[in-house]
Amino acid sequence: MNYDIENTLTIGPRCVERFIDPNVLAHMAKLEIALAGCSNLSGDYCVARTHPVEHTLFYTLSGEGEVTTANNKQRLEKNSLLILPAKQAFEVKIRSKQWNVIWLNLANTKRWQHLQLAHALVLNEQSLTPLHLAMEILYVEKNPDLRDGVIPIISHYLSTTLEQRVKSDATQRITNLFQQVQARLQYDWTIEVMCEKVHYSAPHLHRLCQAQYGRSPMQQLIYLRIIRAQHLLLSTSWSIAHIASYVGYPNIFNFSKRFKKSVGISPSQFRCARGDCLSN
């Protein structure tokens, strides 16, 4: 489903926005934070951007919000962290009577390259209380020397901790994807289908798969099909044609060619080499 998103800025009179003072932001320039704040939202609230130049983070303290992107709509519950990559259209709005959040706009630079995702990402059950408290201190504390003490906390949670959580989520998504692939090897898996499953671009999926398995997505698919075929050749009396179709190769000649390229011998030779020359 595709959603039409238009630039929108609706902040009703019952919404309280506590922007971090511009002087503080200048003090935080080395972190490349363009804007940040703590918000207590109630009533009318909707912010939409068709081509944002910065990455945006929303961390829900309480209540619920909702994010809509070009192809998806998700709820934002307590302790969820929403990552909105630069240049990706989004709409964020309130869903409950009150929605309390902290938010940050981060420059689209090398420092925040771990946020350069192809699609918005929602990480649930996140614990970012120290980041929230650090931002509250920046809002109320006027002494720049005292504010210095919270800058490392913000840097740590936005850099090291956030990068680890994004990578952990990506690892789990790739694992889940290939569990689905392994359960349906006969399906006509394509790069486009895989990307749709995990909400990643093809280049990003390729990088993640190489990092996790040492193979491209299609190479991992072939690997799983050949491993399953080897098992079936040794444990069943199925014909080679039937095994080929079962693991996703409706053409037995394509299967035999792929199997020999991967294993070094043909399927029938593989079966006989194990002393189990069954009828094909």
Side-chain angles (χ1 to χ4, degrees):
M1 181 180 294
N2 292 321
Y3 297 94
D4 294 326
I5 296 175
E6 298 180 356
N7 285 319
T8 304
L9 180 61
T10 303
I11 302 178
R14 289 190 289 162
C15 294
V16 178
E17 296 266 32
R18 305 193 305 282
F19 291 91
I20 306 298
D21 187 276
N23 293 324
V24 176
L25 285 176
H27 181 73
M28 297 166 62
K30 63 181 181 180
L31 295 183
E32 300 182 68
I33 299 176
L35 199 61
C38 307
S39 300
N40 302 108
L41 307 171
S42 183
D44 295 329
Y45 179 83
C46 181
V47 175
R49 295 287 183 267
T50 58
H51 196 76
V53 298
E54 298 151 347
H55 306 299
T56 303
L57 306 181
F58 278 87
Y59 177 63
T60 298
L61 304 169
S62 62
E64 288 188 4
E66 182 178 85
V67 58
T68 301
T69 59
N71 300 299
N72 198 12
K73 183 177 289 188
Q74 292 177 270
R75 293 172 62 177
L76 305 173
E77 301 177 341
K78 181 179 179 180
N79 295 335
S80 68
L81 175 64
L82 167 64
I83 301 173
L84 296 164
K87 301 180 182 180
Q88 300 292 324
F90 71 85
E91 178 188 80
V92 172
K93 62 183 180 181
I94 191 170
R95 184 182 171 93
S96 55
K97 289 185 177 180
Q98 189 165 23
W99 186 33
N100 299 317
V101 301
I102 57 173
W103 55 270
L104 303 100
N105 290 349
L106 308 179
N108 184 16
T109 60
K110 185 177 180 180
R111 172 186 288 274
W112 305 117
Q113 62 183 349
H114 54 284
L115 303 180
Q116 294 173 355
L117 309 173
H119 299 276
L121 175 63
V122 178
L123 299 175
N124 293 308
E125 299 181 5
Q126 301 297 300
S127 179
L128 299 178
T129 301
L131 176 62
H132 170 218
L133 295 178
M135 290 181 59
E136 293 284 4
I137 291 172
L138 286 179
Y139 177 74
V140 300
E141 181 54 60
K142 305 305 178 185
N143 187 326
D145 294 330
L146 296 178
R147 290 198 300 255
D148 277 343
V150 304
I151 299 302
I153 296 175
I154 292 176
S155 177
H156 172 75
Y157 275 88
L158 293 181
S159 298
T160 305
T161 301
L162 184 54
E163 183 174 6
Q164 290 173 348
R165 295 180 187 191
V166 170
K167 286 183 177 179
S168 176
D169 179 81
T171 298
Q172 189 59 53
R173 286 188 184 213
I174 298 301
T175 299
N176 291 343
L177 169 64
F178 283 100
Q179 285 177 344
Q180 293 180 57
V181 169
Q182 194 166 26
R184 299 175 61 201
L185 289 173
Q186 76 281 7
Y187 184 75
D188 184 21
W189 293 100
T190 63
I191 289 294
E192 291 73 22
V193 170
M194 292 184 190
C195 289
E196 185 178 344
K197 290 283 186 182
V198 291
H199 303 296
Y200 289 143
S201 67
H204 193 56
L205 175 60
H206 182 90
R207 286 193 297 270
L208 293 173
C209 198
Q210 282 283 2
Q212 191 160 332
Y213 297 114
R215 290 180 282 268
S216 71
M218 295 310 292
Q219 287 171 338
Q220 180 65 10
L221 170 63
I222 292 169
Y223 170 79
L224 293 174
R225 282 174 166 169
I226 297 303
I227 290 295
R228 179 68 60 79
Q230 288 177 301
H231 171 75
L232 294 173
L233 284 167
L234 298 180
S235 63
T236 74
S237 58
W238 293 358
S239 70
I240 290 178
H242 184 65
I243 291 174
S245 179
Y246 190 83
V247 299
Y249 292 97
N251 187 309
I252 188 174
F253 298 105
N254 290 340
F255 168 69
S256 296
K257 183 178 179 180
R258 174 58 63 186
F259 189 95
K260 186 172 184 179
K261 184 176 181 179
S262 299
V263 181
I265 56 178
S266 70
S268 58
Q269 289 172 325
F270 178 84
R271 177 174 267 174
C272 288
R274 282 3 181 227
D276 192 17
C277 295
L278 302 175
S279 174
N280 293 336

